[in-house]
């Protein structure tokens, strides 16, 4: 998909940075434990010259022993992460350590009005931000459509999906491949969902089996069904499909930003691996063949430890050819806070992302019955619009922990978008958008 070189370079940079941090933490720990009294003496001399009170005189103590143990732990965490940057629990522990130390140094600076604590807060704060960015890069370096070599222990859920529309026949097809790991073991499932807009009917076929990963260049395989770079197949429950796909110029959308996962605020990840893909091939339902020739669609990848409380999702391709506009929205109610909405827009060869902390809160998203209204700003472009499911299919999502959600998904949805930039306004409409509402069962 054209990402291998940059992703591998980013991976090397992450590992090298973590090894450097492990050496820094080790040196700092040895310095504090072996030379704390001398170090504080130098600081006090500088403080006195600047007119500040000296710090408390210290020497060997219980607190110094705890400090030494903490430095040893974060040295080990950084070193282990340099060898396995995908170890989420290690990232959580390292970021927690730096986050707490930054907050405490800042509190001490405010309470004691001493610049030494403020300087320490600044140093640890910068390290915290850099480590969070490294974690984001570590999450991004994993190829989007390659299965993980080792599944994490405990509950886990991973999904690959593809959808294609044929505007000429008002038909759409959705293939979904999933693997779920929980207390009862691992299970895999394959779905083929057909949307026949002309006859107003949707048809759902699902089956289960044993999954295999990273075999023969495929990201997921299950008894003759699977998805891999540029191809997807299905065979089961009265259906067959053989489709090839190629990504367009639109880059990957990270709809759940890596920083949100890095701070532990989301247990899920979702990337649209090919937001503007073209599909060719066929899909059969009970012997009736649907053909697709350069049909527009997308390919996505979702992974999570467990589901949240539900979400709204929409993806639309507006227009044709080089002038096509792609927009994607993901909205979810925070467990303890307001609804947050991320938006990505591809337009005129540029990607506009509205996924930063402030934007997630400022983007507006609300529903009036089945109509989803939204208002957002991305890269200087104002967006507002409305979408609503058309012909839909209802299915049940279930994660490894056994939590079930009801999914109502339509690939023949109405979507209206208005864009405003530098006084210019454009309006786009389609009835071939994908819209999904997911709620607790």
């Amino acid at each position: 998909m054209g990402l291998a070189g940059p992703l591998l370079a980013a991976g090397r940079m992450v590992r090298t940075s973590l090894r450097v941090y492990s050496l820094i933490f080790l040196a700092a720990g040895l310095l504090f434990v072996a030379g704390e009294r001398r170090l504080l003496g130098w600081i006090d001399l500088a403080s006195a010259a600047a007119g500040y009170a000296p710090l408390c005189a210290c020497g060997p103590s219980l607190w110094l022993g705890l400090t030494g143990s903490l430095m040893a732990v974060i040295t080990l965490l950084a070193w282990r992460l340099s060898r396995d940057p995908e170890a989420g629990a290690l990232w959580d522990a390292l970021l927690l350590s730096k986050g707490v130390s930054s907050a405490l140094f800042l509190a001490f600076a405010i309470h004691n009005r001493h610049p030494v604590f403020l300087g320490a807060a600044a140093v640890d704060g910068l390290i915290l931000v850099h480590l969070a960015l490294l974690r984001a890069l570590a999450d991004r370096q994993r190829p989007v459509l390659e299965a993980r070599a080792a599944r994490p222990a405990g509950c886990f859920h991973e999904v690959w999906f593809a959808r294609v529309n044929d505007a000429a026949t008002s038909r759409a097809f959705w293939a979904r491949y999933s693997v779920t790991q929980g207390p009862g073991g691992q299970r895999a499932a394959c779905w083929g969902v057909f949307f026949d807009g002309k006859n107003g009917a949707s048809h759902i076929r699902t089956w289960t089996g044993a999954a295999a990963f990273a075999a023969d260049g495929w990201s997921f395989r299950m008894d003759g069904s699977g998805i891999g770079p540029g191809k997807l197949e299905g065979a089961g429950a009265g259906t067959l499909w053989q489709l090839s796909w190629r990504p367009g110029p639109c880059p990957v959308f990270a709809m759940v930003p890596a920083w949100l996962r890095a701070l532990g605020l989301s247990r899920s990840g979702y990337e649209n691996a090919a937001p503007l893909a073209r599909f060719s091939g066929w899909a059969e339902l009970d012997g009736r063949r649907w053909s697709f020739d350069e049909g527009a669609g997308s390919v996505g990848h979702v992974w999570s430890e467990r589901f949240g409380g539900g979400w709204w999702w929409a993806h639309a391709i507006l227009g044709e050819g080089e002038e096509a506009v792609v927009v994607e929205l993901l909205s979810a109610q925070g467990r303890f806070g307001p609804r947050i909405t991320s938006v990505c827009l591809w337009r005129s060869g540029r990607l506009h992302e509205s996924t930063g902390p402030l934007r997630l809160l400022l983007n507006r998203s609300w529903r009036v019955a089945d109509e989803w209204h939204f208002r957002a700003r991305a890269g200087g472009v104002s967006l507002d619009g409305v979408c609503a499911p058309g012909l839909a299919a209802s299915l049940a999502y279930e994660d490894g922990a056994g939590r079930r959600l009801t999914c109502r998904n339509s690939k023949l949805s109405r979507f209206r978008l208005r864009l405003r930039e530098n006084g210019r306004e454009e309006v786009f409409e389609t009835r071939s958008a994908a819209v999904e509402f997911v709620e607790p069962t």
Side-chain angles (χ1 to χ4, degrees), residues 276 318-326 346-348 424 426 428:
L276 183 55
L318 306 157
E320 295 292 334
E322 297 296 326
E323 301 302 317
V325 171
V326 183
W346 170 258
R347 173 174 174 259
S348 301
R424 181 187 176 193
E426 295 178 277
F428 303 88

Side-chain angles (χ1 to χ4, degrees), residues 298-323:
S298 61
V299 179
H301 182 207
V302 180
W303 63 97
S304 65
E305 296 177 23
R306 63 184 63 187
F307 291 147
W311 59 87
W312 310 339
W313 169 80
H315 177 270
I317 300 172
L318 306 157
E320 295 292 334
E322 297 296 326
E323 301 302 317

Side-chain angles (χ1 to χ4, degrees), residues 165-185:
N165 285 73
D166 182 3
T169 61
S170 296
R171 286 174 169 173
F173 175 68
W174 173 28
R176 184 180 186 271
Y177 311 86
S178 67
V179 59
T180 302
Q181 181 173 286

Side-chain angles (χ1 to χ4, degrees), residues 76-92:
L76 179 62
L77 290 173
W79 181 256
R80 289 286 180 85
L81 281 169
S82 73
R83 304 180 69 179
D84 182 15
E86 292 185 5
L90 300 186
W91 278 114
D92 291 342

Side-chain angles (χ1 to χ4, degrees), residues 32 41 58 71 345 407 410:
F32 282 122
C58 293
M71 298 306 291
L345 171 70
C407 159
S410 172

Side-chain angles (χ1 to χ4, degrees), residues 92 135 139 142 148 155-159 176 253-271 301-311 330 332-333 340 342 360 397-400 403 405 438:
D92 291 342
R135 181 174 186 173
D139 287 338
R142 178 178 43 80
R148 299 182 177 187
C155 297
F156 195 75
H157 187 70
E158 194 155 12
V159 175
R176 184 180 186 271
F253 288 170
M255 297 304 297
V256 179
W259 67 263
L260 203 63
R261 301 196 305 276
L263 295 177
L265 299 177
S266 174
R267 295 178 175 176
S268 303
Y270 164 51
E271 292 179 331
H301 182 207
V302 180
W303 63 97
S304 65
E305 296 177 23
R306 63 184 63 187
F307 291 147
W311 59 87
L330 179 63
Q333 180 66 46
I340 61 174
S342 62
L360 289 183
Y397 287 165
E398 183 174 348
D399 65 15
R403 183 169 191 174
L405 301 174
V438 179

